Amino acid sequence: MRRFTEDVTESFYDSEDDLYRSFWDTEGSLHWGLFDETTGQDFLKACANLNEFMANKARLLPDSRLLDIGCGNGNAAMWLSDTRQCYVVGVDLSGVRISNAIRDLEGAPAPLRDRVSFEKASATALPFEDGSFSHVWSQATIYHIPDKEATLREAYRVLAEGGLFIFDDLIKPKPDISEAARTYVYDRLYFDTDFSFQSYQDALKATGFRILEAVDLGEHLHKSYTHLANVTGELAERDQKYAELSYAYGQMVRAQENSELGWAFYLCEK
């Protein structure tokens, strides 16, 4: 029996959007950063750098059709279509975030509105025909979905032959984790996973994917949560609602240092 449900995740993100915008990204993007010499320690630059890294791996063309699973407020979907001129459909469990995405899209230029759409849907039961997309994309999402194997199967189903699955996700490097990691990392975010860096690849292969690239991003997760712990710690001096978050983010840094939490990127082909 799975410990959490999609309803719990939906409720969590419906209620937390304004809070995350106040310290993570005012534009509503919610994922981690890929740091290098071009970003320095700038978190938002590192987040944008992850977008570029993944988009370059995707090799998108103007006639590409991309499905963004867990699109959130639609930031990446609209950025991808704007910069790569491709067609994008974004899906998310959160009705609040889909509404935000649709609202922002309505204010976008007409060519972008013609190429992008959003709808509320579960990644385990995608409302699309087999082979509908040339690309499936996901950022910081699949760890939240209780039935991850079903999500992988759906991503495979809606991809055309030769299509690419580009995504990042949290992983559990070792099965036995501390009570602190359980409380402040897994239970706080209503998720669990059996996937390590390698077993994730095994699950992808079992689904039918051919793995083109797998990258352990653990050091970048550490930098991301160190930044978030510091930012919320500073905000907690003025508003105590951030104190709990700062402590939790510090525990996430410790969990990563103890190999109780990880982050990985995968590029796969159908």
Side-chain angles (χ1 to χ4, degrees), residues 13 15 71 83 88 102 104 152 163 183 187 233 240:
Y13 279 105
S15 63
C71 66
T83 59
V88 182
I102 292 172
D104 289 347
L152 300 186
T183 300
D187 288 356
Q240 277 300 302

Side-chain angles (χ1 to χ4, degrees), residues 20-253:
Y20 281 117
R21 284 178 186 266
S22 71
F23 69 90
W24 196 301
D25 180 2
T26 57
E27 299 299 316
S29 181
L30 189 62
H31 60 73
W32 309 291
L34 186 66
F35 295 83
D36 61 19
E37 64 278 0
T38 69
T39 69
Q41 298 303 308
D42 190 308
F43 177 64
L44 291 183
K45 284 185 179 180
C47 291
N49 192 39
L50 176 69
N51 290 343
E52 288 284 357
F53 170 80
M54 292 179 62
N56 289 338
K57 296 292 183 182
R59 305 191 299 273
L60 292 161
L61 299 172
D63 63 348
S64 296
R65 289 187 54 80
L66 180 144
L67 174 66
D68 182 0
I69 293 177
C71 66
N73 290 308
N75 307 75
M78 287 187 279
W79 174 80
L80 284 165
S81 184
D82 186 44
T83 59
R84 269 63 178 182
Q85 305 300 300
C86 58
Y87 295 88
V88 182
V89 178
V91 296
D92 201 280
L93 267 183
S94 170
V96 168
R97 295 193 175 200
I98 286 293
S99 295
N100 291 342
I102 292 172
R103 179 201 64 213
D104 289 347
L105 181 63
E106 289 173 347
L112 194 61
R113 296 198 304 271
D114 292 339
R115 295 193 303 267
V116 180
S117 65
F118 297 105
E119 61 182 283
K120 187 178 184 301
S122 168
T124 63
L126 294 169
F128 310 109
E129 295 182 0
D130 297 359
S132 297
F133 299 93
S134 60
H135 297 74
V136 173
W137 164 292
S138 183
Q139 291 179 312
T141 292
I142 299 176
Y143 73 96
H144 271 307
I145 303 170
D147 194 345
K148 294 166 185 61
E149 289 83 358
T151 302
L152 300 186
R153 290 194 298 270
E154 280 291 270
Y156 188 86
R157 180 184 66 79
V158 300
L159 268 175
E161 197 68 30
L164 295 180
F165 183 24
I166 311 101
F167 74 102
D168 71 275
D169 201 18
L170 293 182
I171 55 175
K172 187 193 288 182
K174 61 183 182 182
D176 298 324
I177 60 175
S178 66
E179 186 61 31
R182 172 67 62 193
T183 300
Y184 293 103
V185 179
Y186 292 87
D187 288 356
R188 186 182 70 83
L189 293 175
Y190 304 110
F191 86 96
D192 205 346
T193 182
D194 294 324
F195 289 155
S196 66
F197 182 66
Q198 183 56 52
S199 66
Y200 218 135
Q201 296 176 65
D202 296 338
L204 288 162
K205 291 175 183 176
T207 305
F209 286 108
R210 182 165 71 95
I211 298 172
L212 303 180
E213 194 168 349
V215 183
D216 188 324
L217 298 176
E219 64 177 296
H220 302 279
L221 187 72
H222 186 277
K223 290 180 180 179
S224 294
Y225 276 114
T226 297
H227 163 81
L228 292 167
N230 290 338
V231 167
T232 49
E234 293 172 2
L235 290 170
E237 296 176 4
R238 302 191 301 272
D239 189 335
Q240 277 300 302
K241 72 180 180 182
Y242 294 102
E244 184 178 340
L245 269 176
S246 181
Y247 182 79
Y249 289 152
Q251 290 296 319
M252 295 186 83
V253 171

